[in-house]
Amino acid sequence: MKSAFTAIIGRPSAGKSTLINTLCEEKVSIVSPVPQTTRNSIRGVLTRPEGQIVFVDTPGYHFSEKKINLHMKDVAEGALEGIDLVIYLIDTSRHPGKEEEDITRLLTFHRKKLLIVLNKTDAKASMIKETRAYALSVFPEAPVFEISALKGSGIPELLKGLWEMAPEGELMYPTDIYTDQDPEFRIKEIIREKAISIAREEIPHAIYVEIADTEFRGEQPKQTLWVRAFLVTERESQKGILVGKKGENIKEIRKSAQKELSDIFPYRVMLDLQVKANPKWRNKENIIKKQIY
Ligand SMILES: Nc1nc2c(ncn2[C@@H]2O[C@H](COP(=O)(O)OP(=O)(O)OP(=O)(O)O)[C@@H](O)[C@H]2O)c(=O)[nH]1
Ligand SMILES: [Mg+2]
């Protein structure tokens, strides 16, 4: 039986969360076109006759002096502890730059078994030759895979490589589990994903979600989970954009989050969603620590 903890590391927006979802064939981690969407390390479990791979999605690896970025960088680095394999995901639609050099340094330091995975090979602007040459120049021994996490091409080959490199071991999770995230965390993430998808400019980075309370109503199998939650922005002036004209944006966020959450959980989820501001929360250590750990 094979068993491996496998971290997915890469620059912001490389497609790490898309990849964990594609590999696990489940919505494990939220995805958006905006860099720095993932703020935590998030586990997705794949169980097959070969054994089990626990994938760990991580925040995009990125250097910045901002408090929140330093925390996210710590999370990404911490995710490498106790890991058997690392997928180094490279976005072929961008030239390898300083961010790739920083990741190279990190992975050289940790000396884990590596798989280099070139993503977005379906994209028009894909630079497969250039990124492959970069990867080979820094990790000449590592196997290289070409994939589209979005379209699914190259995934069977990548999985074959993962099973070959995975060590022997026992299953780490029950076979019917595909993630270990608690329901409250998933609810907050899905709401954040829907809010990011309608927000613009700096707002996606200025949002976090707070759950005020939850309550089950009704009897099985028709139970409903009522959730009272806040979309929190960094400035009073950002609230209006999330609310939208006559409340149309907040309604759209609420409805699409409710739908997805009701698909994920074995009960219906209803949201009471409001917007509030917590000025300059990204400078507040206690708030950051509650969101990013
Ligand atoms: N064309 C194309 N786009 C992709 C592919 N994989 C991911 N994307 C897109 O790239 C964007 C970022 O994807 P994410 O999966 O959120 O990237 P990430 O690496 O998790 O980003 P952070 O969490 O911000 O670090 C989204 O718009 C995805 O749809 C791919 O294979 N091809
Ligand atoms: Mg992500």
Side-chain angles (χ1 to χ4, degrees):
M1 193 62 90
K2 295 283 186 117
S3 160
F5 275 100
T6 304
I8 306 176
I9 300 278
R11 76 199 307 178
S13 252
K16 299 174 295 299
S17 304
T18 307
L19 178 60
I20 199 170
N21 294 343
T22 300
L23 286 166
C24 296
E25 295 176 19
E26 296 283 356
K27 174 73 170 272
V28 172
S29 192
I30 65 168
V31 167
S32 97
V34 182
Q36 293 170 324
T37 294
T38 307
R39 293 175 175 164
N40 295 77
S41 79
I42 290 170
R43 287 182 182 183
V45 184
L46 179 74
T47 309
R48 287 287 179 272
E50 293 91 331
Q52 201 168 60
I53 303 178
V54 180
F55 294 104
V56 184
D57 186 15
T58 62
Y61 198 67
H62 170 74
F63 279 55
S64 150
E65 286 309 314
K66 287 186 187 147
K67 268 200 178 98
I68 186 164
N69 292 105
L70 290 170
H71 277 266
M72 282 158 62
K73 185 168 144 288
D74 282 351
V75 170
E77 289 174 2
L80 289 170
E81 303 297 330
I83 284 288
D84 302 297
L85 304 173
V86 174
I87 290 177
Y88 172 18
L89 193 66
I90 304 183
D91 181 346
T92 62
S93 71
R94 297 179 59 187
H95 290 281
K98 184 179 173 305
E99 278 168 327
E100 302 303 348
E101 287 167 21
D102 292 336
I103 296 168
T104 297
R105 209 167 307 121
L106 174 74
L107 296 179
T108 306
F109 173 76
H110 276 272
R111 307 172 116 254
K112 302 282 180 186
K113 278 208 253 175
L114 267 189
L115 297 90
I116 309 266
V117 179
L118 309 180
N119 190 30
K120 306 196 189 180
T121 57
D122 63 291
K124 255 200 203 131
S126 183
M127 292 168 282
I128 301 176
K129 260 195 188 162
E130 184 184 345
T131 45
R132 181 182 274 272
Y134 176 78
L136 283 174
S137 72
V138 289
F139 296 113
E141 314 276 304
V144 181
F145 299 84
E146 291 179 14
I147 67 158
S148 165
L150 190 66
K151 310 267 177 188
S153 65
I155 297 296
E157 293 78 3
L158 172 58
L159 276 170
K160 191 163 170 278
L162 282 162
W163 289 121
E164 278 167 15
M165 288 172 76
E168 299 283 329
E170 298 297 314
L171 300 191
M172 293 158 288
Y173 285 94
T175 53
D176 59 341
I177 293 262
Y178 69 88
T179 187
D180 66 350
Q181 301 165 71
D182 65 60
E184 280 211 7
F185 180 78
R186 298 188 81 186
I187 291 167
K188 290 195 287 187
E189 287 289 270
I190 299 285
I191 295 172
R192 195 163 63 86
E193 180 186 64
K194 305 311 173 202
I196 291 174
S197 77
I198 67 139
R200 296 278 170 275
E201 287 157 25
E202 84 287 3
I203 292 183
H205 297 117
I207 298 171
Y208 73 92
V209 177
E210 196 179 277
I211 292 188
D213 56 67
T214 61
E215 185 192 343
F216 275 109
R217 292 188 199 157
E219 297 296 319
Q220 296 260 32
K222 286 209 165 172
Q223 245 184 352
T224 299
L225 179 67
W226 282 86
V227 179
R228 204 156 59 86
F230 291 97
L231 256 176
V232 189
T233 63
E234 208 172 28
R235 282 188 271 132
E236 291 290 338
S237 60
Q238 294 166 332
K239 282 165 41 180
I241 295 166
L242 287 175
V243 173
K245 249 191 255 159
K246 294 186 186 159
E248 63 190 13
N249 288 351
I250 190 77
K251 185 177 168 193
E252 175 60 31
I253 295 166
R254 180 171 59 77
K255 285 198 148 179
S256 51
Q258 276 180 179
K259 185 176 179 306
E260 188 163 327
L261 288 165
S262 298
D263 287 343
I264 286 177
F265 295 114
Y267 38 79
R268 197 162 159 228
V269 179
M270 296 295 278
L271 300 174
D272 169 352
L273 191 57
Q274 292 177 54
V275 180
K276 71 176 183 184
N278 181 350
K280 299 201 173 141
W281 69 264
R282 278 186 289 176
N283 293 329
K284 296 178 183 168
E285 197 74 22
N286 61 330
I287 302 287
I288 293 176
K289 276 191 180 155
K290 265 198 218 160
Q291 307 304 318
I292 300 164
Y293 42 82

